[in-house]
């Protein structure tokens, strides 16, 4: 039982980068889609309460590139799979949607990554 508590503590203390790596490992090596599990976890409590539906889809909006515009452009390129020119266009046209209709966990991970690079980001 102590091993499980240690494991839980390790999970809670993961960085955003480590969470992304864990999600990739779970998906590639074990066929587990972490986003699907998160959607079930979000839907579970809302179904029991019946008062208000929880938001399940989020948009990541880049409000401003901040001081490290080049780093933000490179990160947007990496996160979206766009070409360099298109990624630069998204950053130059801020506020602009980086990704739309994604899970809360994915949106928060993207937001944290972009903020780490110096960008100003909001979730809608």
């Amino acid at each position: 039982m102590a091993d499980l508590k240690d494991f839980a503590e390790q999970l809670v203390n993961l960085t955003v980068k480590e969470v992304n790596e864990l999600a990739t490992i779970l998906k590639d090596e074990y066929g587990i889609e972490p986003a699907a599990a998160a959607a079930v976890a979000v839907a579970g409590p809302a179904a029991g309460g019946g008062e208000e539906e929880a938001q399940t889809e989020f948009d990541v909006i880049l409000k401003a590139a901040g001081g490290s515009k080049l780093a933000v452009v490179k990160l947007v390129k990496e996160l979206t799979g766009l070409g360099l020119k298109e990624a630069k266009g998204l950053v130059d046209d801020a506020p602009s949607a980086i990704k739309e209709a994604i899970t809360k966990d994915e949106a928060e991970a993207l937001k944290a990554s972009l903020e780490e690079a110096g960008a100003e980001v909001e979730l809608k």
Side-chain angles (χ1 to χ4, degrees):
M1 192 57 126
D3 289 338
L4 287 177
K5 286 186 180 187
D6 291 340
F7 180 66
E9 186 173 326
Q10 288 175 340
L11 282 176
V12 170
N13 293 321
L14 290 176
T15 65
V16 172
K17 184 177 179 182
E18 291 170 331
V19 169
N20 286 334
E21 289 175 12
L22 177 60
T24 302
I25 291 168
L26 289 173
K27 181 179 178 185
D28 294 346
E29 294 184 20
Y30 299 99
I32 298 171
E33 288 284 340
V40 170
V42 169
E51 293 177 15
E52 183 180 314
E53 287 189 37
Q55 183 177 352
T56 58
E57 292 184 342
F58 295 83
D59 299 339
V60 178
I61 309 296
L62 176 69
K63 293 173 70 176
S68 305
K69 184 177 176 183
L70 182 59
V72 173
V73 169
K74 287 180 178 180
L75 185 58
V76 167
K77 178 185 179 289
E78 178 185 323
L79 294 173
T80 61
L82 294 172
L84 185 59
K85 184 177 180 179
E86 292 83 4
K88 183 181 181 301
L90 269 179
V91 173
D92 287 342
D93 294 339
S96 55
I98 301 299
K99 284 210 174 182
E100 297 177 320
I102 59 176
T103 65
K104 182 177 182 179
D105 290 341
E106 185 179 359
E108 288 176 346
L110 287 176
K111 180 181 179 191
S113 296
L114 287 163
E115 286 177 341
E116 223 173 83
E120 187 178 333
V121 183
E122 76 175 333
L123 300 181
K124 287 189 175 185

